[in-house]
Amino acid sequence: MVQSYLKHGPTQAFGLVCSSSSNSVFDGRLAYVPALEDVLVWDVKKGEMVAMWHETGHSEEVTCIVQAPQPGSFAVGYADGSIRLWTASSGSVATTFNGHKKAITALSFDESGTRLASGSQDTDIILWDVVGEAGLYRLRGHRDQITAIQFLSVAEDQPSTSTAAAPGLLLTTSKDTFMKVWDLSTQHCIQTIVAHRSEVWSMAINQERDLVFTGSGEGELKAWKVDRAAIADGLKETETGEVSKLIHTVSSLPLASKHKVSQLKFHPTEPYLAVQSHDRSVEVFRIRSEEEVQKKLARRQKRSKEKKEQKKGKGKDIKDNEEQEEVSEATLVDYFTPHLVVRASGKIRSFDFGTNKSSSKGTPQLFVALSSNAIEVYNIPPPSKSKDEQPDATRTYSVDLPGHRTDVRTLCLSSDDQILASASNGSLKIWNMKTTHCIRTMECAYAICSTFLPGDRHLAIGTKSGEILIYDIASSTLIETVQAHTATIWSMQVRSDGQALVTGSADKDVKFWSLEYKKATDESVQSGKLLSLVHVRTLKMSDDVLAVRFSPNNKLLAVALLDSTVKVFYQDTLKFFLSLYGHKLPVLSMDISDDSKLIVTCSADKNVKIWGLDFGDCHKSIFAHEESVMQVAFEKDSHYFWTVSKDKLLKYWDGDKFEGIQKLEGHHGEIWALALSHHGNFVVTGSHDKSIRVWEKLDEPLFLEEEREKELEKLYENGIADTLNRVDAPIGSGTEGGAVNGMTEAEVAAVTKQTSETLMAGERIMEALDLADTEREGMREYTEVMARLSDDDAMRMQPPARNPVLAAYDLEPEAWVLRVVEKTPSTSLQDALLVLPFGKVVSLMVYLNIWAQKGWNITLVSRIIFFLLKTHHHQIVANRIMRTTLIPLRKHLRSTLQQQKDVIGYNLAALQFIRRKNDAERTAQFYEEEDMDEEKVKARIAEGKKRKRVNLKA
C-alpha cells in the first residue's frame, strides 16, 4: 500500500500594507500598492482594504504599476518579465503579456491607451498592442536597465519617414547614462543623448509636453527642451550636414540634497513638480506662471537700476549694463521655485499625486508609500503671501496598523487556534485567525520569542535585552516587566501541565519560573487577579543557550548550546541524561514529538537531525534547506514535522520514513517564525518580507511519487523554454546578450518568449492538426473507393467511424482545428505557432484556406497567415508545392476581407445617417419653441453638446 499524505496549500497572506518592490499609484481616494505578488487597493480615508488583485498560481513579485488613460484599467509588471492588464472593477486579469527575460522596471501607456511600452532589466523595450493583445516589436539599444519611458505625441499631419501606422516618439532613459529618442514609425533610435555622468534614474514630462526633466544617481536634476518645430519637420539635415536634434539641453535645477533622484512627477492639473532625492523626504517645486515671472524680472531690473544709480563710476557702469542684460531673460530657476519639503515618518519607496481633488478646499495631495510597510497622504498648502510663514505639509491620512514596521520575528497561537500573536522590533500585534484582522496593537521592545500563558488571556514576550514582558490581551496593557536575564532570551516554553515556564538566554542561564496569580492593587487597571512569574531555580550552562524544550511527558528538558550540542536533563532533578552532538554549527531550534520518543533539531549548518530520546542515537541526518534552518516543529500526535529556513521555503517532512513530503513556496524573504495549529489543521509562518502566511491542510491526498514527477516535469519544461529563448545567444562569447560572431544585434526584433504554457499550446495545435489530417485522409480514401464502385455494388460499405473526440463535439475536422486555435490565448498565439515544425505549417495552411473560404474568424486567419508568411518566408518561397495552397488562399481571403470591408462601410454610413437625422430633429425641436431665432438655436445646440454625461448610482 502506497502511503498517501494530505496536501497543504496557501490560503491567507496578511500583515502587509505595502511592500517596497514597486511604485504605487494614487487616484485621490484609492491607493493601488504592491504587496509582494499581489496588488492591494486601499481606501486611505477609511484605512480599509477594498480589494486584493491576486492571480492563483503566480508568485512573482510586483515590480511596476501604471494606470491606463481609461479609468479602471491598470498595467502591472512582475519580476519574471510578465505584464498583466488588470480590470479594477472586477479585480481580474484581462490580458497577460510575456516577452521580457527579467523584471519589468518601467511601463507607460500612450495618450489613447491602445499601446503600452515596457522596459526591463534585460535592457529591451517592447511595444504592445493592447487592443490586439500582441507584441508589436522589441527595441534594442540601451546597455543597462531601463529606468523610465514616456510617449511623445506628434501631430497627425506631420511628414513621417515611414508609411507605418501609429506614429509618435518614445523617450527612454537607462542606467547606462543615456536618454534615447525612438521614432515609432520607423522603429529606430533617432537621437541618443548623454544625459548625465552617472545612471539616469527618473524622467518626467510637463503638461505642455515641451520640457523633459531627468534625475541622476549623483543627485543632479537636468531640464531638456523638446523642439516641437524639429519634430514637425521630421528628420532633416541642418546646414552643417548633421541631422537636426529634437531635444536640447536647457539647464539644471538645484536640489536640497545630493542623493540619487529616484522619482520625478508633475502634478496632472496643478502647477507642481515633486522630486524625491532623499530617503525620507520629497521636495515640491511650484511652477510660476509667465505673469509671475515677468513681475519678478521687473522687480529685479528695478533693483539693479537702483544699485546702478547708487554707484558712480565709468568702469562699474559697463558691468551694470551687462547685469541688466542678464536680468532681462528668465531662467529655469525663475519658473521652478522651491515650495516645501514633505518629510515622511519612514524611508520613502515611491510617491504619487492624487489626481482627484478629494479635499473640500481643493488642495493637492501627495501620497507616499514607505519601505516600512505603511502608506501616508499629505496635503500641500498653497503658497502664503507673507514671507515669514513657511508653508508646511500636513499629514491627513496614514495606514500602518494592519502590518509590522520591521521583520516578524516570532509567532504564537492560542490553545483554541482562534488568536495569533506576532511580534517584531517595536510592536506586538494580535490577529483574529478567522478574519485575519489585526485586533490589538501594542508597543514592545525587540521581541525574539513569545508564548501564550495558560488561559490564553496573557502573553509572554522574550526580548533582545533579556526582559520578559507580560501583556494582558483584553486590556492591551503591559502588566509586568521581569528583568530575567542579562542577555538576549532566545527561547521560552510553557510546560505541558501549565504550571511552569522555562527561558534560555545568551547569558548561559536556563531559568525556571512558576506561574502565580496575585491580587490586583487599587492602582492597577486590572480587576481580579494578576498573573505573575516567580523565579524558582536556575541551571547554569557552559555556553550560550539558543533553545529550550520540555518533553510532553514532563520528564526531560532539552537545551541547545552555542557549541553545536544539545544537552538533555531530567526535568525534576536537573541531572544530566544525554548529549546529542553531530551538528557542525549551532542548533537554532528543536522540538520533541507528542509521544516523547523523538527529538528533531535544526541548525545553521542547513541540516535537520532526528534523534531517539531513549539512547540519544541519531536516526537520520537530512540536508533540508539551502540556507540556515530557523525553526522546526512537530505536528500534533504524529512524527511529521515542519521546517522553515532563510531560503524562503517551508517544508513538510515524515520523521519515520525520513522523506520530504511537500515543499511550499510563497515567501519573498527569509522565514524567521513558525507556529503550528494545536489541532494540526494549519501552519503559520512569518517572514522578513513582513507578511504572515497561513498554509491549511486540504482534503486532497498527496502521493510522493506524483510530487517528484511534477517537480521533474516542471524543471524539464522550464529547461526547454530557456533553451528556445536563447535564439540570439552569443556564440563563443561568454557574455550574455553580446554580439553573435562579431556582428552587432539588430535594433528591432520580434517579440517572442517561450514559456511552458506556449509550448503546451503549440503541442495542442499539433495534436489537433494530426487528428484532423487523419480524419480527412480516411474520408478521402473512402470517397475514392466509393467513387470507383457503382451504386448497387455489393462491396459498398458504411463510411469509417468518426474520431470519438469529433463525434463527441459533433464537429468537422477543420472546425475542430479552429476551435483549438481560438482557445489559445491571443498573447501566446505567435509563440505557440513558432513551436510548429514546417510540415505542420503546410498542413495548417490548408485549414486556413478552408476557413477563409467559409468566412470563419477572418481576423484570426489573417493574423496567423501573415505571421506564418513572415516567419517561414524563405522555405515557403523555395517550396513549389505551397503555390497550390497559397493561390486559392489569396483568392478566398481577398474576397472575404472585401465583404467585411463592405459591411463595416455600410454600418458607418448608417451611423452617420442616424447622427444627421438626430441633429436635424433637435434643430427642428428648438425652432418649434417660441422666441427662437437661428443664433439662439445654434447656441443651445452647442451647449447641449458640451453637457457632460453623468452616471447616477442608485
Side-chain angles (χ1 to χ4, degrees):
M1 178 69 185
V2 178
Q3 184 169 1
S4 72
Y5 305 89
L6 284 177
K7 199 176 267 188
H8 285 75
T11 50
Q12 296 277 4
F14 56 95
L16 274 171
V17 178
C18 165
S19 65
S20 59
S21 59
S22 157
N23 66 309
S24 304
V25 173
F26 181 57
D27 67 3
R29 188 178 74 86
L30 298 176
Y32 303 87
V33 300
L36 303 174
E37 71 270 23
D38 303 332
V39 175
L40 300 183
V41 184
W42 289 96
D43 185 326
V44 288
K45 196 172 182 181
K46 295 178 182 172
E48 287 177 7
M49 188 170 80
V50 181
M52 176 195 270
W53 300 348
H54 173 78
E55 187 168 26
T56 313
H58 188 257
S59 62
E60 293 293 332
E61 279 188 295
V62 173
T63 55
C64 191
I65 305 174
V66 68
Q67 190 167 8
Q70 294 86 358
S73 184
F74 291 81
V76 180
Y78 294 84
D80 60 352
S82 63
I83 302 161
R84 283 168 176 73
L85 298 182
W86 288 87
T87 311
S89 54
S90 61
S92 60
V93 178
T95 317
T96 303
F97 293 131
N98 239 324
H100 289 285
K101 292 175 188 163
K102 292 184 182 173
I104 305 293
T105 52
L107 289 170
S108 178
F109 281 97
D110 68 352
E111 284 180 347
S112 60
T114 53
R115 286 179 298 170
L116 172 70
S118 63
S120 161
Q121 283 179 357
D122 63 10
T123 75
D124 290 352
I125 298 143
I126 296 181
L127 249 86
W128 305 93
D129 180 356
V130 176
V131 180
E133 298 185 359
L136 298 172
Y137 44 85
R138 185 190 300 266
L139 298 171
R140 291 183 174 136
H142 282 293
R143 288 279 164 264
D144 207 337
Q145 172 185 322
I146 311 297
T147 51
I149 297 177
Q150 287 282 358
F151 277 92
L152 264 180
S153 56
V154 295
E156 301 246 335
D157 55 349
Q158 76 155 64
S160 175
T161 47
S162 160
T163 54
L169 298 176
L170 194 68
L171 224 61
T172 60
T173 60
S174 163
K175 280 166 73 174
D176 61 6
T177 74
F178 297 138
M179 174 160 62
K180 284 180 180 278
V181 184
W182 305 84
D183 185 347
L184 298 183
S185 50
T186 59
Q187 300 167 17
H188 280 285
C189 176
I190 52 174
Q191 189 182 351
T192 300
I193 304 140
V194 183
H196 294 271
R197 289 190 299 278
S198 62
E199 300 106 333
V200 184
W201 277 101
S202 50
M203 173 174 64
I205 300 180
N206 66 348
Q207 292 159 24
E208 290 76 32
R209 317 295 281 175
D210 59 356
L211 266 184
V212 179
F213 281 87
T214 56
S216 80
E218 290 179 344
E220 190 179 23
L221 180 61
K222 274 191 183 177
W224 309 83
K225 188 82 178 164
V226 179
D227 192 340
R228 283 283 168 192
I231 291 174
D233 291 344
L235 291 179
K236 286 189 177 177
E237 284 189 6
T238 56
E239 291 168 5
T240 55
E242 293 177 356
V243 176
S244 58
K245 288 185 168 53
L246 308 179
I247 288 181
H248 308 279
T249 180
V250 180
S251 73
S252 58
L253 204 61
L255 293 176
S257 79
K258 287 292 172 197
H259 294 81
K260 174 180 87 174
V261 182
S262 52
Q263 201 183 344
L264 294 169
K265 183 108 183 170
F266 278 94
H267 194 287
T269 51
E270 303 288 324
Y272 291 106
L273 165 70
V275 182
Q276 187 200 339
S277 63
H278 189 265
D279 279 351
R280 299 173 79 98
S281 61
V282 174
E283 211 172 331
V284 180
F285 288 87
R286 192 171 66 82
I287 307 166
R288 287 194 171 114
S289 63
E290 195 68 46
E291 227 174 274
E292 286 178 276
V293 173
Q294 290 306 325
K295 276 184 187 173
K296 192 178 180 188
L297 280 178
R299 280 202 304 273
R300 204 182 287 173
Q301 281 175 352
K302 193 180 173 185
R303 276 204 305 274
S304 66
K305 217 174 187 181
E306 285 168 5
K307 276 183 189 174
K308 195 171 146 190
E309 283 169 8
Q310 283 171 10
K311 293 176 186 176
K312 298 289 179 188
K314 205 173 185 183
K316 286 176 184 174
D317 283 352
I318 298 161
K319 273 189 182 178
D320 288 338
N321 287 342
E322 284 172 8
E323 194 180 323
Q324 184 120 9
E325 281 170 25
E326 283 173 24
V327 162
S328 61
E329 271 192 39
T331 59
L332 185 79
V333 182
D334 294 332
Y335 283 98
F336 290 86
T337 176
H339 181 49
L340 56 85
V341 175
V342 177
R343 287 182 177 82
S345 60
K347 190 177 175 185
I348 297 170
R349 169 58 181 86
S350 74
F351 69 85
D352 196 10
F353 280 114
T355 45
N356 302 344
K357 290 181 183 174
S358 57
S359 57
S360 54
K361 294 174 188 171
T363 54
Q365 291 184 317
L366 188 78
F367 167 83
V368 177
L370 305 179
S371 297
S372 61
N373 197 25
I375 53 180
E376 297 176 338
V377 178
Y378 290 85
N379 267 359
I380 300 171
S384 58
K385 298 281 187 226
S386 63
K387 287 186 179 180
D388 303 332
E389 285 181 34
Q390 281 293 320
D392 200 16
T394 51
R395 188 171 76 182
T396 47
Y397 309 116
S398 73
V399 181
D400 57 0
L401 284 180
H404 287 280
R405 301 286 75 74
T406 51
D407 297 10
V408 179
R409 287 306 299 254
T410 173
L411 295 170
C412 59
L413 278 160
S414 61
S415 56
D416 58 0
D417 292 341
Q418 297 291 313
I419 292 173
L420 173 79
S422 66
S424 67
N425 178 10
S427 65
L428 161 68
K429 289 183 183 285
I430 310 293
W431 307 84
N432 179 335
M433 282 306 291
K434 264 190 183 166
T435 60
T436 67
H437 286 319
C438 179
I439 50 176
R440 296 274 189 279
T441 299
M442 295 164 256
E443 280 187 20
C444 80
Y446 199 137
I448 298 291
C449 55
S450 61
T451 180
F452 271 95
L453 297 175
D456 294 336
R457 295 176 61 84
H458 300 90
L459 190 72
I461 300 279
T463 69
K464 201 170 186 179
S465 57
E467 295 171 334
I468 300 175
L469 309 175
I470 299 175
Y471 288 89
D472 180 85
I473 294 167
S475 62
S476 307
T477 50
L478 172 66
I479 55 173
E480 192 174 7
T481 302
V482 182
Q483 189 59 54
H485 294 269
T486 55
T488 307
I489 300 175
W490 286 114
S491 178
M492 60 164 56
Q493 194 199 10
V494 176
R495 205 166 63 198
S496 57
D497 61 3
Q499 298 297 312
L501 175 81
V502 63
T503 57
S505 163
D507 64 1
K508 305 179 185 178
D509 285 354
V510 176
K511 289 192 176 179
F512 298 84
W513 311 81
S514 73
L515 302 169
E516 290 187 7
Y517 289 92
K518 60 181 182 185
K519 284 188 178 178
T521 55
D522 296 336
E523 297 92 36
S524 171
V525 187
Q526 294 290 307
S527 58
K529 291 180 178 178
L530 279 183
L531 190 97
S532 177
L533 293 182
V534 179
H535 180 219
V536 181
R537 53 185 175 167
T538 303
L539 175 62
K540 298 266 183 195
M541 303 303 294
S542 59
D543 219 327
D544 292 17
V545 179
L546 298 181
V548 285
R549 271 287 172 276
F550 281 118
S551 65
N553 62 7
N554 290 344
K555 285 185 180 174
L556 302 171
L557 171 77
V559 181
L561 302 176
L562 193 64
D563 63 5
S564 310
T565 63
V566 176
K567 302 274 192 286
V568 184
F569 299 88
Y570 288 106
Q571 190 266 130
D572 47 2
T573 60
L574 296 185
K575 276 187 180 174
F576 176 73
F577 173 47
L578 292 170
S579 182
L580 313 176
Y581 53 89
H583 281 291
K584 293 182 176 66
L585 288 169
V587 171
L588 302 175
S589 173
M590 57 188 174
D591 200 15
I592 299 172
S593 62
D594 277 359
D595 56 9
S596 301
K597 286 181 180 173
L598 292 182
I599 179 169
V600 61
T601 57
C602 68
S603 161
D605 63 10
K606 307 172 191 174
N607 287 301
V608 166
K609 290 184 189 285
I610 302 155
W611 318 75
L613 263 180
D614 298 337
F615 309 105
D617 53 324
C618 180
H619 289 186
K620 188 72 175 175
S621 179
I622 305 168
F623 180 73
H625 289 269
E626 298 295 321
E627 295 283 341
S628 302
V629 189
M630 300 309 295
Q631 290 261 9
V632 64
F634 270 109
E635 205 171 73
K636 187 173 172 62
D637 297 332
S638 74
H639 285 178
Y640 303 153
F641 62 90
W642 293 88
T643 58
V644 293
S645 161
K646 281 188 178 179
D647 66 1
K648 310 172 189 173
L649 294 177
L650 164 70
K651 291 189 178 181
Y652 190 29
W653 305 86
D654 186 333
D656 292 327
K657 294 193 170 183
F658 317 125
E659 288 185 302
I661 301 171
Q662 205 178 350
K663 180 171 77 175
L664 294 164
E665 298 173 1
H667 278 292
H668 296 268
E670 303 93 7
I671 305 178
W672 299 117
L674 170 73
L676 259 65
S677 150
H678 293 87
H679 304 298
N681 300 335
F682 60 86
V683 184
V684 190
T685 52
S687 163
H688 168 71
D689 63 20
K690 301 183 183 68
S691 71
I692 301 167
R693 289 172 193 258
V694 183
W695 316 81
E696 270 184 40
K697 190 175 275 185
L698 312 171
D699 295 332
E700 206 179 323
L702 176 145
F703 297 96
L704 295 182
E705 289 77 14
E706 276 184 23
E707 286 294 305
R708 302 295 166 267
E709 275 177 27
K710 278 180 193 170
E711 282 176 23
L712 287 170
E713 267 177 33
K714 196 177 173 185
L715 275 172
Y716 176 66
E717 281 174 2
N718 290 342
I720 290 179
D722 290 344
T723 49
L724 284 171
N725 287 331
R726 286 179 61 83
V727 179
D728 54 356
I731 300 164
S733 68
T735 56
E736 190 181 343
V740 183
N741 291 341
M743 293 166 64
T744 53
E745 274 187 344
E747 200 170 45
V748 182
V751 182
T752 58
K753 184 188 178 186
Q754 294 294 351
T755 60
S756 52
E757 286 83 19
T758 59
L759 292 174
M760 295 290 283
E763 281 178 12
R764 282 196 292 273
I765 293 171
M766 278 192 269
E767 281 172 13
L769 288 169
D770 283 336
L771 187 149
D773 285 347
T774 312
E775 186 78 1
R776 290 185 72 215
E777 186 60 29
M779 280 306 291
R780 190 182 60 77
E781 285 175 5
Y782 169 75
T783 48
E784 276 180 11
V785 172
M786 290 297 104
R788 287 200 291 269
L789 301 173
S790 60
D791 289 348
D792 55 348
D793 199 310
M795 292 298 287
R796 289 191 76 85
M797 53 186 172
Q798 289 291 323
R802 291 178 74 189
N803 186 293
V805 176
L806 298 178
Y809 287 101
D810 192 22
L811 290 172
E812 291 302 308
E814 53 271 23
W816 171 251
V817 178
L818 180 64
R819 181 191 170 104
V820 172
V821 173
E822 280 178 335
K823 278 197 169 179
T824 307
S826 178
T827 46
S828 57
L829 179 62
Q830 293 186 354
D831 290 322
L833 292 172
L834 283 175
V835 177
L836 304 184
F838 188 65
K840 289 281 178 278
V841 171
V842 176
S843 177
L844 184 58
M845 291 279 199
V846 175
Y847 292 103
L848 287 169
N849 184 22
I850 298 168
W851 300 339
Q853 194 175 351
K854 294 187 176 181
W856 291 349
N857 203 338
I858 292 302
T859 48
L860 182 68
V861 172
S862 310
R863 193 178 153 195
I864 293 171
I865 188 67
F866 295 141
F867 178 73
L868 291 177
L869 287 172
K870 198 163 61 176
T871 310
H872 301 282
H873 181 257
H874 296 302
Q875 281 168 294
I876 290 169
V877 170
N879 193 336
R880 295 185 71 178
I881 307 163
M882 293 297 292
R883 284 174 66 85
T884 54
T885 315
L886 286 172
I887 290 166
L889 177 60
R890 180 177 67 175
K891 186 181 123 192
H892 295 139
L893 197 59
R894 276 187 175 174
S895 64
T896 320
L897 283 170
Q898 188 57 49
Q899 282 173 14
Q900 290 217 335
K901 200 173 169 185
D902 294 344
V903 169
I904 290 167
Y906 181 83
N907 289 343
L908 274 172
L911 287 168
Q912 283 166 355
F913 169 73
I914 291 166
R915 191 179 67 186
R916 283 197 302 273
K917 191 179 174 187
N918 183 36
D919 285 352
E921 280 177 2
R922 284 173 65 194
T923 313
Q925 185 187 338
F926 283 130
Y927 273 124
E928 281 167 14
E929 291 179 22
E930 289 178 19
D931 304 330
M932 289 296 260
D933 57 3
E934 197 170 343
E935 281 180 13
K936 283 183 182 176
V937 168
K938 280 181 181 174
R940 281 287 290 275
I941 291 170
E943 191 187 314
K945 280 182 182 173
K946 276 180 198 168
R947 201 171 293 153
K948 287 181 182 174
R949 195 172 289 173
V950 178
N951 291 332
L952 294 174
K953 288 183 183 176

